[in-house]
Each structure stands twice: as structure tokens, then as C-alpha cells.
């Protein structure tokens, strides 16, 4: 099947086979739909996250309201509604004018990166519990955990390393029970996070899902988006019925980078640093690069340039980098600057970060080539440099700049802004502009535009 994606607040679904053989499953009026009342979002606040949080909500699932068995062939959907046609999925008219495509609210594009890598990960180590003993066979998929009526048990699990995964919990019975699943990078104590291997005297505080079993058999809870964790706490509270947990595991998900580069050293500490660095890079790369998977799943261009270079050096895979460059190019607004982070529903503009877009395009030229792609990005490069060109005054430096001029979190930089930028003529920003212009000149030379090469060299 042809996979297409769209970024939009306007939810819709299209399935279309590539040929007549698959046409039986094409979306049309024969499809039936129902709105599930089982899922509700849990809003994440500062207290839950223990810091700034920019990612999705958590899940509250009521098993009594879930249409169990709907994926089975024998399922009866007579009470489901007929699907409705709400619009047209446009792909751009290749020749002439297509009024349906031109007015479509859903502009679809081909997927330009591979599907995520997935594999089952099991958290089999119970490091703390309020029970005398708990058999971990259910965590291995080899047994069951039976919780008697009107009991409350806590299980703290340790994966021993950080991961990003879809947790899956399978239960039987236990109607009106509550299972809270809390996820954390580390436990909290008097030393805040401190040594992340230590748990004595510490508690788990973090993002959590809630699952209320419906009382049936083989009920499976799976989060709608990945969870980031090393530690997981299962807090199980039963009512009048016993609850059986037959399995709990995670499905790892991340961009399928391969570690093709080799780092050899006689120093074991350096080897560990390499391993930690590569694991960090992998956890911060999914459908986009991101600041971090637990707190801030936003693609900032300042981070992304470094992450993309790591990707190229270690794996050689340039597809996520290419996608990031294109996304930032698409984020440009009427003044010509890019967003400092994208995709996002909340605009944030930092002129120095727009200059990093120019440098990312240059990086791509140096390491991967592809003149057609570079040529496609050059109008965006010009609009960014054009904005700065208009800000240069008689001193030869950039004057007062609006928006947020983030450069560094170093001492003396208020909210990341260079000293005295509020008075204009920042040496740091002016030098970054000159540096970007020089790199733009090399880009224009690469695509054969010698006139603009000369302009930006001067």
C-alpha cells in the first residue's frame, strides 16, 4: 500500500491500494466507524514532569468502554456508523488546474523516511515492592501475576538503561481495578536525581498512564505514543474482582539508524562515552530529531545540526537530515526567517537559529552532495540572508534585531542572548551572519550561480 502522511489538526483517514487487486480495502462508504470513549488524555503539568514539558499527553483508558474484539473477523459492527466523505486528499496537480487538489485541506506528501525500527524489550527486574515476594514470570511472558480482590500492590521495575517504547499490558478480569504505570529516567531523593543507579530512599515521580480493566479476558492496553523510561512503577489497586496480569512489555521504537562507524580505543571510559553518546543520539531521533524524548520532543535547529552530523558520521544515513532541512525550509514565515523549532503548533523565532539552516544546507553539500536538493533549498537560504542584510547599518554590523536572539546559555548571556544585543551591534551575531554568508557563497558556487557566489563572498 502507498503510505502518505499529513501534518494537520484536521483528522482524517485515507487508505488506497496501489492497484485494482487492493481496491477492495479503499476507503469509501462501505467503511464503518465509531468514536471510542475509552481513551482520554491526561494533561501533563509542571509537577508531574518536574520541569518544562513539550510532548504529548498521557493516556487514561477505561476498559469497560473499549470495543474489545473489533479487530477480529467475527466482530459485529452493526451499531457502528457509516463513514462519511469529508474532503479530498490532494497531492498537487501535475498538469494544469485541479480544483479538488487546489482547495483541499489535506495536502498529502509521500513518506520520505523509512518506518521506525521496532523490537520487543522486556523489563524483567523487580527492584522494589510492597509485597514479601513477587514472581517476575509474567514480565518474561512465562506466567501470570494474580492480584487478589481489594489489594494494593506496587512494583518498581528497572530496565537498567533508558529506552523509548510503546508499553503493552495484558489483563484478565479485575473489573473496576486501576493500574497506574509511571515512567521515569531516574528516581528522586534529597540529591534530586543524583546517582541514577541508586534507589534507596528515593521515590518515582513522573509521567503516568492509567488503565481501568473492563473485566474481560485478554484485554490489552497500549499507549498511543512512545514512553521514555528506565524505571517503571506498576501501582495496582483491585476492587471486588481478582485481577490477572498475563504480560507486560515494551516495544522499542526509534529511527532505524545503523552503527556503521567503528571507534577503537584501549581506554574503556572512552568506549563507554561512545556507547552512551550513540544511545543518546538514537533515543533523540524518531520521526524527527528531538531535543530529548522524555521532556521535550521538539526539533530545534541548533540541536538538529549537531545530531544530523552525528548521524552522517556514524551511520551514513542522510534521510532524516534531509527531512529536517526541508521541514525548516517549510517553516519560513512572511519575514523570511525559519522557526527555531519545527514542526510545532507554537511559533518561536530566533534569527541566529535561521542562520544555522544555511549551515545545515552547507553541511549536506559537503557530506552528501545532491545538487538538485541544494538548488531546491537556495531560495530559502536567500530569504534568511536577505533579512539580515536589511539589518546591517552604517557600522557594518547588524543593528537592533527583533524576535528572540538566542545564541548560547553561557555566563553573561541573558536568556541566551549575547551581551549588549539589546543595544544592537552584537559581535557574535554579526560574525555568525558573515560566517553563514561565506557558506552560502560556496553553496551558490556549487550549483553554478557564480553571480550570487560573488555577491555573498563580498
Amino acid at each position: 500500500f502507498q503510505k502518505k502522511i499529513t501534518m494537520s489538526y484536521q483528522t482524517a483517514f485515507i487508505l488506497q491500494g496501489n492497484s485494482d487487486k487492493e481496491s477492495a480495502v479503499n476507503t469509501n462508504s462501505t467503511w464503518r466507524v465509531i468514536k471510542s470513549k475509552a481513551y482520554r488524555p491526561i494533561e501533563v503539568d509542571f509537577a508531574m514532569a518536574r520541569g518544562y514539558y513539550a510532548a504529548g499527553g498521557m493516556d487514561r483508558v477505561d476498559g469497560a468502554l473499549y470495543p474489545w474484539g473489533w479487530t477480529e473477523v467475527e466482530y459485529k459492527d452493526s451499531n457502528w456508523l457509516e463513514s462519511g466523505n469529508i474532503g479530498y486528499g490532494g497531492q498537487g496537480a501535475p498538469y494544469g488546474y485541479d480544483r479538488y487538489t487546489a482547495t483541499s485541506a489535506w495536502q498529502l506528501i509521500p513518506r520520505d523516511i523509512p518506518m521506525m525500527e521496532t523490537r520487543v524489550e522486556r523489563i524483567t527486574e523487580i527492584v522494589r515492592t510492597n509485597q514479601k515476594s513477587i514472581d517476575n514470570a509474567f514480565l518474561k511472558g512465562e506466567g501470570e501475576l494474580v492480584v487478589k480482590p481489594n489489594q494494593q500492590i506496587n512494583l518498581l521495575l528497572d530496565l537498567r538503561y533508558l529506552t523509548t517504547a510503546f508499553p503493552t499490558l495484558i489483563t484478565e478480569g479485575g473489573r473496576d481495578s486501576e493500574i497506574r504505570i509511571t515512567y521515569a529516567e531516574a528516581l528522586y531523593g534529597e540529591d534530586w536525581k543524583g546517582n541514577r543507579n541508586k534507589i534507596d530512599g528515593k521515590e518515582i515521580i513522573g509521567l503516568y498512564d492509567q488503565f481501568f480493566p473492563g473485566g474481560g479476558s485478554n484485554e490489552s492496553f497500549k499507549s498511543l505514543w512512545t514512553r521514555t523510561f528506565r524505571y517503571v512503577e506498576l501501582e495496582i489497586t483491585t476492587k471486588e474482582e481478582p485481577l490477572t496480569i498475563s504480560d507486560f512489555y515494551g516495544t522499542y521504537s526509534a529511527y532505524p539508524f545503523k552503527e556503521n562507524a567503528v571507534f577503537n580505543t584501549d581506554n574503556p571510559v572512552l568506549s563507554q562515552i561512545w556507547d552512551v553518546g550513540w544511545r543518546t543520539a538514537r533515543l533523540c531521533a524518531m520521526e524527527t530529531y528531538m531535543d530529548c524524548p522524555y521532556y521535550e520532543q521538539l526539533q530545534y535547529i541548533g540541536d538538529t545540526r549537531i545530531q544530523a552530523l552525528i548521524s552522517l558520521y556514524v551511520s551514513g544515513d542522510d534521510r532524516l537530515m534531509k527531512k529536517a532541512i526541508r521541514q525548516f525550509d517549510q517553516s519560513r514565515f512572511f519575514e523570511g526567517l525559519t522557526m527555531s523549532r519545527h514542526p510545532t503548533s507554537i511559533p518561536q523565532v530566533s534569527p541566529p537559529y535561521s542562520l544555522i539552516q544555511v549551515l545545515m544546507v552547507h553541511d549536506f553539500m559537503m557530506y552528501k552532495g545532491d545538487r538538485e536538493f541544494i538548488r531546491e533549498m537556495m531560495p530559502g537560504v536567500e530569504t534568511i540572508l536577505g533579512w539580515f542584510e536589511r539589518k546591517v547599518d552604517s557600522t557594518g554590523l547588524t543593528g537592533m534585531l527583533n524576535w528572540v536572539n538566542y545564541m548560547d546559555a553561557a555566563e553573561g548571556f541573558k536568556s541566551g542572548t549575547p551581551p549588549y544585543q539589546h543595544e544592537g551591534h552584537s559581535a557574535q551575531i554579526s560574525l555568525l551572519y558573515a560566517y553563514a554568508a561565506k557558506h552560502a557563497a560556496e553553496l551558490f558556487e556549487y550549483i553554478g550561480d557564480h553571480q550570487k557566489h560573488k555577491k555573498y563572498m563580498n
Side-chain angles (χ1 to χ4, degrees):
F1 294 111
Q2 197 171 14
K3 296 182 176 69
K4 294 188 176 293
I5 59 171
T6 181
M7 186 186 77
S8 173
Y9 288 117
Q10 297 164 305
T11 304
F13 178 74
I14 299 175
L15 180 65
Q16 182 177 348
N18 279 343
S19 70
D20 290 341
K21 293 180 180 179
E22 300 94 10
S23 62
V25 297
N26 289 355
T27 42
N28 52 39
S29 60
T30 64
W31 279 65
R32 302 180 72 84
V33 298
I34 192 172
K35 180 180 179 179
S36 174
K37 298 179 180 179
Y39 274 84
R40 284 188 1 214
I42 298 175
E43 185 176 349
V44 178
D45 56 19
F46 190 91
M48 186 193 297
R50 282 291 180 98
Y52 177 73
Y53 182 78
M58 308 302 284
D59 297 331
R60 182 189 188 279
V61 186
D62 188 341
L65 300 178
Y66 190 81
W68 299 107
W70 71 271
T71 60
E72 303 299 324
V73 175
E74 298 81 10
Y75 181 81
K76 305 299 182 184
D77 61 359
S78 57
N79 64 328
W80 287 38
L81 304 175
E82 291 185 1
S83 61
N85 186 353
I86 58 175
Y88 180 84
Q91 302 178 46
Y95 305 105
Y97 173 73
D98 181 337
R99 66 185 179 90
Y100 296 106
T101 298
T103 59
S104 173
W106 292 273
Q107 293 295 327
L108 306 181
I109 61 172
R111 183 179 179 87
D112 49 5
I113 60 173
M115 301 301 290
M116 299 298 100
E117 175 189 345
T118 59
R119 64 174 184 271
V120 171
E121 283 185 318
R122 290 199 171 272
I123 322 170
T124 59
E125 187 170 359
I126 302 173
V127 293
R128 192 165 66 198
T129 177
N130 64 347
Q131 305 297 301
K132 290 184 178 180
S133 64
I134 291 287
D135 188 350
N136 70 346
F138 79 100
L139 295 172
K140 300 177 181 178
E142 299 172 352
E144 297 178 335
L145 171 64
V146 179
V147 185
K148 297 178 180 179
N150 301 307
Q151 275 202 329
Q152 194 275 322
I153 68 173
N154 292 69
L155 305 175
L156 181 64
L157 315 179
D158 184 2
L159 184 61
R160 293 294 179 184
Y161 57 85
L162 197 68
T163 192
T164 53
F166 291 92
T168 299
L169 179 73
I170 301 176
T171 67
E172 182 172 347
R175 186 177 178 85
D176 298 325
S177 299
E178 177 185 350
I179 305 168
R180 176 178 289 205
I181 310 173
T182 304
Y183 313 92
E185 295 181 306
L187 306 186
Y188 289 90
E190 292 183 358
D191 59 349
W192 197 244
K193 292 182 179 179
N195 186 330
R196 301 190 180 203
N197 293 323
K198 294 183 178 180
I199 66 172
D200 292 341
K202 293 186 174 184
E203 62 178 329
I204 187 168
I205 301 172
L207 314 179
Y208 63 83
D209 293 315
Q210 288 176 293
F211 179 51
F212 300 87
S217 62
N218 199 36
E219 294 185 351
S220 176
F221 162 74
K222 185 176 183 179
S223 62
L224 296 179
W225 185 237
T226 58
R227 305 295 183 236
T228 305
F229 56 86
R230 168 180 169 172
Y231 293 98
V232 175
E233 181 185 62
L234 298 179
E235 185 178 345
I236 306 166
T237 305
T238 57
K239 294 300 175 92
E240 301 303 318
E241 292 184 8
L243 171 69
T244 299
I245 298 180
S246 55
D247 208 350
F248 179 68
Y249 60 91
T251 303
Y252 171 80
S253 179
Y255 187 90
F257 282 125
K258 302 296 182 184
E259 188 178 356
N260 294 321
V262 177
F263 177 71
N264 292 320
T265 175
D266 294 332
N267 188 328
V269 174
L270 292 180
S271 295
Q272 290 177 331
I273 291 173
W274 172 273
D275 292 339
V276 169
W278 181 239
R279 173 174 291 280
T280 301
R282 292 223 55 198
L283 293 177
C284 294
M286 296 185 70
E287 296 287 339
T288 66
Y289 293 106
M290 61 182 70
D291 175 274
C292 68
Y294 190 89
Y295 295 97
E296 199 165 355
Q297 296 179 11
L298 290 171
Q299 181 174 246
Y300 287 89
I301 195 167
D303 300 333
T304 300
R305 186 190 180 201
I306 299 169
Q307 292 170 283
L309 288 172
I310 292 170
S311 301
L312 291 182
Y313 274 113
V314 180
S315 75
D317 187 339
D318 67 347
R319 290 171 291 184
L320 196 60
M321 177 186 187
K322 195 172 183 179
K323 177 182 179 180
I325 293 172
R326 182 173 279 122
Q327 285 178 320
F328 282 112
D329 180 65
Q330 293 166 347
S331 78
R332 288 179 293 119
F333 70 116
F334 65 92
E335 288 196 16
L337 296 174
T338 66
M339 296 293 118
S340 64
R341 59 191 187 190
H342 193 71
T344 177
S345 60
I346 304 175
Q348 185 188 83
V349 182
S350 177
Y353 267 35
S354 292
L355 292 173
I356 295 176
Q357 168 73 352
V358 180
L359 303 180
M360 277 192 69
V361 176
H362 187 274
D363 291 342
F364 193 84
M365 177 199 74
M366 292 293 292
Y367 289 94
K368 301 302 293 189
D370 193 344
R371 279 185 171 79
E372 288 306 311
F373 177 71
I374 301 298
R375 189 172 285 111
E376 178 188 340
M377 295 299 108
M378 294 314 292
V381 167
E382 283 196 90
T383 62
I384 294 167
L385 296 176
W387 186 90
F388 277 89
E389 187 177 350
R390 295 189 295 273
K391 301 297 181 180
V392 175
D393 60 22
S394 59
T395 67
L397 302 174
T398 56
M400 294 292 293
L401 304 178
N402 51 343
W403 307 108
V404 178
N405 287 279
Y406 187 93
M407 285 283 287
D408 199 344
E411 184 178 351
F413 285 61
K414 185 178 181 180
S415 299
T417 302
Y420 307 109
Q421 170 53 34
H422 61 283
E423 300 175 5
H425 306 129
S426 165
Q428 290 95 334
I429 294 178
S430 298
L431 286 170
L432 180 59
Y433 167 49
Y435 185 70
K438 176 180 179 295
H439 283 67
E442 294 176 6
L443 286 167
F444 280 113
E445 183 179 34
Y446 179 72
I447 65 172
D449 193 330
H450 303 296
Q451 183 177 358
K452 289 178 181 175
H453 163 72
K454 182 178 179 179
K455 171 188 174 180
Y456 288 105
M457 282 301 293
N458 295 330

